[in-house]
Amino acid sequence: MEDKEFKCNRCGACCKNIGYVEEASFLDRGDGVCKYYSDDEKMCMIYDFRPEICRVDKMYKRYKDKMTYDEYLDLSYESCEQLRDFERKKKIDKLEKHAKEEIKNTL
């Protein structure tokens, strides 16, 4: 494996979409969010002790016969960015819905 490693910015986007990962279903608190993600703190409460499924570097062993580590990191960063975009869209949708309700209530 290369000397490079995945640099997680701990944004929580993957934690808030765990319901889409069948292998991580044991982490789902019932709403698609990881049971170890704190909504109040906006972070993983077991980050330093998180399971292997949550560790990009450890998960490479599943794909090492299919791609290089650099390719795997590139795909991991791409997936991470897509999840962050998805989270931003959910926030925008929620704000728009709230704004429409406020307008409706003032009319």
Side-chain angles (χ1 to χ4, degrees):
M1 199 159 37
E2 304 284 328
D3 290 336
K4 290 183 187 180
E5 63 180 59
F6 184 79
K7 302 286 187 195
C8 176
N9 68 4
R10 299 184 183 197
C11 69
C14 56
C15 303
K16 292 186 268 183
N17 291 285
I18 204 84
Y20 297 108
V21 183
E22 188 176 326
E23 298 94 336
S25 61
F26 69 100
L27 295 168
D28 193 332
R29 67 183 186 194
D31 60 356
V33 176
C34 179
K35 61 186 173 184
Y36 297 109
Y37 179 77
S38 169
D39 292 315
D40 295 332
E41 301 292 323
K42 305 285 188 237
M43 61 187 287
C44 176
M45 300 311 291
I46 61 163
Y47 186 82
D48 291 333
F49 307 102
R50 66 198 186 282
E52 206 167 89
I53 190 78
C54 301
R55 296 175 179 267
V56 172
D57 55 335
K58 300 283 187 191
M59 292 303 293
Y60 175 62
K61 65 184 176 190
R62 292 187 179 190
Y63 305 99
K64 67 182 180 183
D65 296 334
K66 296 176 173 76
M67 65 186 80
T68 68
Y69 188 67
D70 285 344
E71 291 169 328
Y72 173 74
L73 280 182
D74 289 344
L75 286 172
S76 296
Y77 280 119
E78 185 179 317
S79 297
C80 185
E81 185 58 38
Q82 289 172 354
L83 282 171
R84 286 195 304 255
D85 287 346
F86 183 62
E87 282 301 303
R88 283 189 285 269
K89 183 178 179 341
K90 286 195 305 190
K91 284 181 185 177
I92 290 169
D93 290 348
K94 187 176 180 179
L95 287 171
E96 287 176 348
K97 181 180 177 185
H98 180 72
K100 286 178 185 177
E101 288 174 5
E102 287 293 318
I103 291 169
K104 181 180 171 184
N105 289 336
T106 59
L107 296 178

